[in-house]
Amino acid sequence: FQEYEKKWQKYWEEKQVFKVEIDKSKPKFYALDMFPYPSGAGLHVGHPLGYIASDIVARYKRIKGFNVLHPMGFDSFGLPAEQYAIQTGQHPAITTEKNINRYKEQLRNLGFSFDWSREIRTSNPDYYRWTQWIFLQLFKSWYNNDTDRAEPITELIKRFNNEGNININAACDEDTPMFTAKDWKEMSEREQQEILAKYRLTYLADTMVNWCPALGTVLANDEVKDGVSERGGHPVIRKKMSQWSMRITAYAERLLKGLDTLDWPEPMKEMQRNWIGKSMGAELLFQVEGLDVDIKVFTTRVDTTFGVTYLALAPEHPLVEQLATPELKEQVNQYVETAKNRSERDRMSDVKTISGQFTGSYAINPFNNERIPIWIADYVLAGYGTGAVMAVPSSDTRDYAFAKHFNLPIIPVQEGEHTDISKEDFDPKAGTMINSDFLNGLTVKEAIQKAIEFVEKKGIGKGKVNYKMRDAIFSRQRYWGEPIPIYYKDGIPYAFDEKDLPLVLPEIDEYKPTETGEPPLGRAKNFKTKDGYPIELNTMPGWAGSSWYFLRYMDPQNKERFVSKEAESYWNEVDLYIGGAEHATGHLLYSRFWNKFLYDIGYVSSEEPFKKLINQGMIQGRSNFAYRVTGTNKFVSYNLRKQYDTTPIHVDVNMVYNDVLDIEAFKAWRDDLKDAEFILEDGKYICGSEVEKMSKSKFNVVNPDDIVEKYGADTLRLYEMFLGPLEQFKPWNTNGIEGVHKFLKKLWKLFHDDAGNLNLSDAEPSKEELKILHKTIKKVEEDIERYSFNTSVSTFMICVNELSALKCNNRSILTDLTIILSPYAPYIAEELWSLLGHGTSIIHASFPQWKEEYITEDSFEYPVSVNGKMRAKISLPLTLSKEEIEKRVLESDSVQKWLDGKDPKKVIVVPNKIVNLVV
RNA sequence: GCCGGGGUGGUGGAAUUGGUAGACACGCAAGACUUAAAAUCUUGUGUCCAUUAGGACGUGCGGGUUCAAGUCCCGCCCCUGGUACCA
């Protein structure tokens, strides 16, 4: 394999074998992998898993006559390169280039059929010019809820001029004021731009952001996990900053609905649904006693309004100050301060402590005019709903706990299942209403309906849909990202002219933020437009470039458009997308958003970008341990370790084979182990093992290059598929690799003599050989079509075992076999194919059709069970009717023996499957 | 807590529609070839009883439906992924 892998790599490259062009005579297939971020560590055996699967599908589809787009590229803007640059002063572009080259070399060694002529890099100006272009389109668009799509902002301005915004139903900021055409015309330029910002799909606004001091940048919600940054695990605090945002919330409903049309794993769809977090409810106004203000609350349980015993406001709520009565002002201020200073993380990790503060003010329950106290409580979140809740302790566990803690009244409004507040499983979502005047006796569902009608009729609120999802923060205070094509005139942001793109990332001498706290781009000299206006210093987040790259692959060199109409309409959407599940609420959601937007403005023809998605599972590391007897330099073998007091130490997995330690290598590993002594079992040192994440520090990283060197790329590819279902998380374990390696050798030997010369028979293939071949074709085809790669490899092994038992070396069998093999083990398949005397390296022959006539026999062996127990096997012709089968089975001696002279009460015959007798 | 996914030999896993559970591979054991080893080949390998023939048990636990359950239903246990004071 060392020899012919090299040979074919060279051949494929020289002949550009996998280069693909639009070909309308063939159906298209777009097989895409999530492109990697080129990190300094290179690929480990886990990375190629998904690429192998998509490559198998790509090759299979080619053989089936599809024109296959199977590209690869690099998500080359990112944090690690920048952090490395800050430390070393080396330009991130240099590190990135170096890493990409290493990645490409490793990918090349694995024999993927990527069309490298379509390679893209997000950090390349020819690419990010179009990322900037899309940004500008978003800036120049607003979302019209009436037509349910994005429209040009120029249309909106026209309407403002004609009628103001009174009849406009748009996705816009909550605090957008109403104005007439006259008002609009009288506004200053600045005022108009501020209004437009409330409508634009990307806009500059003061927003509460997740600020990560250690990284010196803001993070999107999906980049924060448990109050710390996903990358690096640094603490994150909430801070108000002027930031660019993407109005993804405008698309919330469509992003949710679109999920139903997708062939994605259910958990993945569920994660996006949860993230979007749609809830239906109502907004309700509570008048404050003695003040001319209303408190707006959002509730999903408007039916329980008769049970409201207090209102609770988030500490950040704007009305807090106004509501605090003079006597309580000090306590209120103190409470608000403490709550604000508590980091998000504390607030989350400490959900059991109940805290709150009475404001001294009261509100009026609009349903029954009862007077209810207004509290401030940190269990109410400023960022969700209206930042205020109506508390119904009898129907909500949190309100209940709060009311108990502060001795507030509790009014039951439901009876039935789970409504008993003294019980542990208290969580009333069912039952009938009580103590609720006109709602009494209704079910929860009916009561909600009626209560909303009541609220709307009385004008004290309205039914409302609420989403958990927030707009996406789009500014990053970093160097190594796409510059935002915006300049400022009198502090007002304006879009770049599209003709001036790309706005190229300027050179700077250091990559840190400036002393004055400006983003790194603040260091750039003359970072101004040609008219001398200052340019935005923030850059785009990591997900910008990856949100549309699948479109650029269709037409990567186009200078006029991000993708030509022709290429876009031919390749359309991604037919198969393979990648990790960790992108559920990040990349996959943003890509769907941008694609829908581009669809709205007429640049792409499918609303959803990824028709079919598969999440490959992570390949974990399998760490090995040696057991040092505490205080000595003696190591005791795994099964004897209990007899000693030991400390396990990580052992480099490359020194361990089938859990047996290579003692010499171990001694040579580190200086302090030179004189190590060993307590062996059966003459061997057995290591312990544990499954952990693959990482350098755990000495469990397996480099694909090593495997390729020892066994070849074909073996590695087959083995990764053989390891188990693609979607599953599984530890890497080299133990079984010999099995697939042996299979390839066996196949090779089938058609070669001992001297290594091709040894083929040109005789007509026997019926038996054909049967094996076509059985394999049928099964392998079915398996690939349902993406079950592990079972299809097994099918292959059975095929070779059977052919080998027949000593089959038939040329025509080999030809067909090679075609089936090529998706899995491309090198060996191409080598065999060329040995057969076929000149080309792509196997153009179509996947041979399996034939029914080869797979059937003239008889079938029926398993026969009596009272559910298998008792006999009877061979019968296939052509028999149900009745005849029944008759022949009953007559047979072996069945008579089990029936013991009795007649069966019931006979069940399933043709081609089974016969069951009930006595 | 809530929402997903899962639990099958010594191990990774197979069983596609309710129809012979354990395919395929690893490991292990025995044998052939060899002076020997490696490689290769052959045979065996769920557990228990039995010399054999054969039998009993067996897919996390307890029930149920069915002629027939790894698969369907009810109630638990455990592992795992996501998510969370989301009103």
Side-chain angles (χ1 to χ4, degrees), chain A residues 1-14:
Chain A
F1 54 81
Q2 282 99 338
E3 190 188 314
Y4 57 77
E5 286 186 1
K6 289 260 163 350
K7 172 177 148 195
W8 290 113
Q9 278 161 17
K10 207 168 143 232
Y11 184 94
W12 294 346
E13 255 158 55
E14 278 170 5

Side-chain angles (χ1 to χ4, degrees), chain A residues 235-253:
Chain A
V236 171
I237 56 166
R238 304 281 295 167
K239 191 177 168 185
K240 200 162 209 167
M241 283 176 83
S242 179
Q243 299 285 311
W244 285 98
S245 288
M246 290 273 163
R247 207 178 295 280
I248 188 171
T249 49
Y251 283 86
E253 189 60 36

Side-chain angles (χ1 to χ4, degrees), chain A residues 863-869 906-910 914-918:
Chain A
V864 180
S865 74
V866 180
N867 289 338
K869 300 255 181 211
K906 200 167 169 189
V907 178
I908 297 149
V909 177
V910 183
I914 200 162
V915 179
N916 255 287
L917 308 172
V918 185

